[in-house]
Amino acid sequence: MSITESPHRTKIFIATVAVLLAVAVGAVVVAYQGRPTARAGVKGAVILDQSSSLDTGSGYLLYKTTVAGPDFGTLAERKVSGNPSTVSGVPTLSSIQCDRSYTAAGVLLCLRADDNLVRVASVEVYDKSLKLIKKVQAAGIPNRARLSADGRMAAWTTFVAGDAYNGPAFSTRTSMLDLKTGVLTDSLESFAVTLQGKPYSNVDENLWGVTFAADDNTFYATLGTGGKTWLVRGNAAAHTLTTVIDNVECPSLSPDGTRIVFKKRVSSDAWKMWHLEVLDLATLKETPLAEQRSVDDQAAWLDDHTVMYAVPQKAGTGYDVWSTPADGSGQPVLVAPDAFSPSVTSG
């Protein structure tokens, strides 16, 4: 659906698309300006460890490396251990390249822009031995990727050009795949929406940023419509979406299922627009996090008490992954330099 109906929503999407394009441009810079030779780690066996747990802060951090050089875009991993969680060791490099990725329970979801950046994305699913087990095509620029904790449900969001009802624009398309049954929902816009207790339908609806609950049926996402954004609770079996609270984008459910970290719009300035908050689902109380930079990302959970997210580097074309306590205390900590799209193996 179109995103041109609201000026500030247009700014939001332009800013986000600009970030995505910057990552892609970084790859071009690597290819054509001096051909850097720095390596991002060492080749080895990437482990999608099914015995690890986000509850205890163990496992492996998987991310896309943004080191300018021959490894740009390759998935890398480092060991996670301790309480609070720390990341250590030399990065191990896989043979897989992704623009967005996510891993859970020995499954890897990988989104890649194919040939024409704006038109086609490749959605690939790998098993724990990194064997490709499923591949589908999706229109648009890869933007968000998520798996349920047991690896059964996959969801992804792309930016799509040409879906507008009143002129050229970017819009979102979010799809969902049940890897057990093979059922593919091409667009969540087909789901029935209840907004503030009443049935709702509008041609400007956009949905993005899915995160799954433990039952593989309940999920949360962002609904954009009428110039506002909403946290919605979805029911995959019933094909329904119900609004929870407004001004919530890119939710990510905690391992214990009680909280959601999200980005909240706090400014109309595209470079100061977002602040990370944690929402208690029982009380709907919001807790601002210590990170003061504008974070335009779907944060992930490093462990049950810590969230992580990508921040653009001040110099260069890369990103770094940072973390901060989910209770609003402490201060941001650098988790992995030259890293983007982080997730922790779990099972």
Side-chain angles (χ1 to χ4, degrees):
M1 303 296 180
S2 170
I3 63 166
T4 59
E5 288 77 13
S6 167
H8 77 250
R9 275 192 47 73
T10 299
K11 290 181 182 178
I12 292 170
F13 276 78
I14 288 174
T16 305
V17 171
V19 168
L20 291 166
L21 291 177
V23 176
V25 168
V28 175
V29 171
V30 169
Y32 295 105
Q33 291 188 2
R35 297 184 180 275
T37 58
R39 303 310 299 258
V42 297
K43 292 289 185 180
V46 168
I47 302 170
L48 303 183
D49 186 7
Q50 297 188 66
S51 63
S52 60
S53 173
L54 288 176
D55 296 327
T56 58
S58 63
Y60 293 85
L61 177 71
L62 189 74
Y63 60 88
K64 166 188 172 177
T65 179
T66 64
V67 171
D71 302 320
F72 185 94
T74 300
L75 291 187
E77 74 170 13
R78 296 173 65 189
K79 186 75 174 70
V80 177
S81 59
N83 187 15
S85 297
T86 58
V87 177
S88 61
V90 176
T92 300
L93 300 175
S94 72
S95 59
I96 298 173
Q97 290 190 325
C98 304
D99 294 305
R100 275 279 182 181
S101 66
Y102 199 81
T103 184
V107 178
L108 169 65
L109 176 63
C110 172
L111 274 61
R112 292 189 299 105
D114 283 354
D115 298 331
N116 189 319
L117 177 67
V118 177
R119 292 184 179 177
V120 180
S122 177
V123 179
E124 299 173 345
V125 181
Y126 296 83
D127 65 14
K128 63 181 180 180
S129 63
L130 295 186
K131 176 184 177 182
L132 181 65
I133 58 175
K134 184 76 174 180
K135 182 175 181 179
V136 298
Q137 285 191 327
I141 303 170
N143 178 247
R144 303 288 185 240
R146 274 297 189 271
L147 290 164
S148 59
D150 63 1
R152 172 176 172 173
M153 302 296 294
W156 58 89
T157 299
T158 58
F159 279 116
V160 182
D163 279 356
Y165 284 84
N166 58 347
F170 277 103
S171 65
T172 60
R173 184 171 300 168
T174 296
S175 305
M176 186 179 295
L177 174 63
D178 186 329
L179 291 168
K180 182 177 180 180
T181 65
V183 173
L184 172 66
T185 302
D186 184 61
S187 175
L188 294 187
E189 291 174 17
S190 63
F191 282 27
V193 176
T194 298
L195 191 150
Q196 293 185 297
K198 297 180 180 180
Y200 179 85
S201 180
N202 197 314
V203 295
D204 76 343
E205 292 174 22
N206 278 274
L207 289 145
W208 66 94
V210 168
T211 183
F212 292 100
D215 63 5
D216 286 335
N217 183 58
T218 305
F219 65 93
Y220 295 87
T222 307
L223 167 67
T225 184
K228 296 181 71 173
T229 58
W230 297 86
L231 174 67
V232 291
R233 182 185 293 108
N235 184 311
H239 285 206
T240 59
L241 300 165
T242 304
T243 59
V244 179
I245 192 173
D246 68 343
N247 200 11
V248 171
E249 297 198 38
C250 299
S252 183
L253 191 63
S254 62
D256 65 8
T258 64
R259 294 152 293 152
I260 280 177
V261 61
F262 67 98
K263 63 178 192 180
K264 181 174 184 175
R265 183 172 59 85
V266 295
S267 172
S268 59
D269 184 332
W271 307 111
K272 301 177 181 178
M273 188 169 288
W274 311 110
H275 191 269
L276 287 178
E277 312 255 338
V278 167
L279 176 71
D280 185 302
L281 288 172
T283 64
L284 298 186
K285 178 184 177 181
E286 298 178 22
T287 300
L289 300 189
E291 175 61 74
Q292 296 303 307
R293 291 168 293 186
S294 182
V295 177
D296 187 7
D297 193 17
Q298 184 175 15
W301 292 79
L302 180 59
D303 57 41
D304 203 33
H305 310 286
T306 314
V307 300
M308 58 181 175
Y309 43 89
V311 178
Q313 295 170 343
K314 291 183 177 180
T317 59
Y319 282 72
D320 298 322
V321 169
W322 292 74
S323 72
T324 193
D327 63 2
S329 66
Q331 60 185 1
V333 174
L334 178 63
V335 173
D338 299 298
F340 184 73
S341 193
S343 59
V344 176
T345 58
S346 62

